[in-house]
Amino acid sequence: MHTHTLGNSTLTVSALGLGCMGMSDFYGVGDEQESIATIHRALDLGLNFLDTADIYGPRTNEGLVGRAIRGRRPEVVLATKFGIVRGADPAARSVNGRPEYVRSSCEASLKRLGVDSIDLYYQHRVDPKVPIEDTVGAMAELVREGKVRAIGLSEAAPDTIRRAHAVHPIAALQSEYSLWTREPEDAVLPVCRALGIAFVAYSPLGRGFLTGEITKLDDLAADDYRRTSPRFQGDNFQKNLDLVTRVRQIAVAKGCTASQLALAWLLSQGPNIVPIPGTKRRKYLEENIAAVDIILSPTELRRIDEVAPHGIASGARYNPTMMALVGG
């Protein structure tokens, strides 16, 4: 497994990370035994960068990850997040970036994870009611106290990133980036490169769509949140499926899967980009990890750009409630 230093930090991370969200939430019923086995297999293969958040579950995914890494903590670069708040209404979301909330969230995450420190602590979404300087200032205090090693932001706008970085070095920005979500290329990626910030790409497989395994809505579990996602709805579904078909044709010619091609494409976009595909099964983990060794030629990259240009995906990334939290 290739490794590199994560942005403005001393953390050494694997070229790919593992998104753990789906082990506990959003993508149907989980299997804790298989999920823990998947995390163990990732560590055995040299994938050391694990991603969770307090909202996943809510609050149960951190516990699962904590149980999985017990006895193997030195092998792990552990990332978690705070800031999105879920209430009694399962569809409702709010954000909280108040300094006192930053501290209380960190203490709760440390307890659930069963660790003394968090390697990378993200603000999950920017709170428009709280100056970013105040939120990052509180996160910097946690670094000084040794409870956090490095800090990051998620789905933040370029100006917010600059302001935050002026308070304390931002090690990583985590935002959605894939063949069907290329908006970061406009302004966010250039800012990250200029400031030496790593870009952690979540949903690099388009919430599973780019795998080619989803061909109809009934392929998703009844409680899978993607059933309400705009890109999986109505005419959008077929238009996006047509995109996946074209990507899959390039993958077949390359001798790899559509998933591997999508990840290899992301890895080719620059050394500061770390995709964190999520899976709860060892089979797909091993398939994803194999993408690290796939090298795409300039001709292949041009062909991918032709079939999956900026803006090709049909439909919004999230429902209106969640889209309102993006780009703060």
Side-chain angles (χ1 to χ4, degrees):
M1 174 64 71
H2 310 293
T3 62
H4 49 79
T5 301
L6 188 76
N8 299 291
S9 78
T10 59
L11 303 173
T12 300
V13 299
S14 46
L16 282 182
L18 174 61
C20 299
M21 178 189 78
M23 297 175 178
S24 304
D25 210 356
F26 300 112
Y27 293 163
V29 177
D31 177 339
E32 178 161 328
Q33 184 176 353
E34 177 61 18
S35 293
I36 289 176
T38 299
I39 291 173
H40 288 170
R41 183 63 175 151
L43 298 178
D44 292 343
L45 293 173
L47 189 158
N48 71 346
F49 190 28
L50 303 182
D51 184 88
T52 182
D54 60 3
I55 190 181
Y56 303 156
R59 296 176 295 279
T60 58
N61 191 244
E62 287 181 321
L64 184 154
V65 171
R67 289 188 292 277
I69 67 173
R70 195 169 296 148
R72 302 188 69 168
R73 180 66 179 97
E75 301 173 58
V76 178
V77 176
L78 182 60
T80 192
K81 316 176 199 71
F82 75 93
I84 299 180
V85 182
R86 291 167 74 171
D89 178 356
R93 300 286 187 274
S94 61
V95 292
N96 191 338
R98 296 194 304 272
E100 62 273 21
Y101 185 76
V102 175
R103 178 169 293 277
S104 65
S105 295
C106 180
E107 297 287 358
S109 288
L110 287 168
K111 186 175 181 179
R112 284 190 291 268
L113 289 161
V115 298
D116 296 324
S117 66
I118 295 163
D119 295 312
L120 177 61
Y121 200 40
Y122 292 103
Q123 182 182 19
H124 209 161
R125 293 292 186 272
V126 175
D127 187 344
K129 302 181 297 299
V130 179
I132 191 65
E133 290 82 0
D134 293 352
T135 303
V136 172
M139 297 169 76
E141 283 291 329
L142 296 172
V143 175
R144 287 190 282 271
E145 293 170 12
K147 294 177 180 177
V148 169
R149 293 181 63 193
I151 65 174
L153 304 175
S154 180
E155 292 286 3
D159 185 56
T160 302
I161 297 168
R162 294 187 191 95
R163 289 167 55 198
H165 192 69
V167 175
H168 186 278
I170 301 300
L173 176 81
Q174 183 178 135
S175 292
E176 184 172 353
Y177 186 31
S178 72
L179 284 173
W180 76 346
T181 300
R182 297 184 60 172
E183 288 81 1
E185 296 170 356
D186 295 336
V188 172
L189 271 170
V191 167
C192 288
R193 289 181 176 124
L195 298 178
I197 298 170
F199 188 100
V200 177
Y202 77 81
S203 291
L205 300 177
R207 295 179 176 80
F209 214 126
L210 292 171
T211 66
E213 299 294 323
I214 302 170
T215 59
K216 57 186 182 301
L217 206 58
D218 286 343
D219 289 335
L220 305 175
D223 58 348
D224 192 309
Y225 103 99
R226 289 172 290 186
R227 285 179 170 270
T228 63
S229 175
R231 291 187 178 177
F232 289 75
Q233 300 300 303
D235 291 342
N236 291 341
F237 189 99
Q238 186 57 52
K239 290 177 182 177
N240 291 325
L241 191 59
D242 292 342
L243 163 64
V244 173
T245 299
R246 295 191 293 272
V247 170
R248 203 170 191 172
Q249 289 169 348
I250 300 174
V252 169
K254 182 67 173 175
C256 64
T257 67
S259 298
Q260 291 169 337
L261 187 82
L263 292 172
W265 176 83
L266 266 176
L267 290 167
S268 74
Q269 300 308 299
N272 70 318
I273 295 173
V274 185
I276 52 167
T279 184
K280 49 190 174 184
R281 296 182 179 89
R282 283 167 284 183
K283 170 187 173 183
Y284 297 120
L285 168 79
E286 292 170 0
E287 178 182 332
N288 292 341
I289 286 177
V292 172
D293 295 320
I294 295 173
I295 305 300
L296 298 172
S297 70
T299 300
E300 290 166 334
L301 289 169
R302 282 194 299 272
R303 178 61 181 148
I304 292 169
D305 279 339
E306 289 171 1
V307 304
H310 189 313
I312 188 64
S314 183
R317 292 202 281 137
Y318 290 112
N319 63 35
T321 298
M322 288 300 292
M323 281 304 298
L325 306 182
V326 168

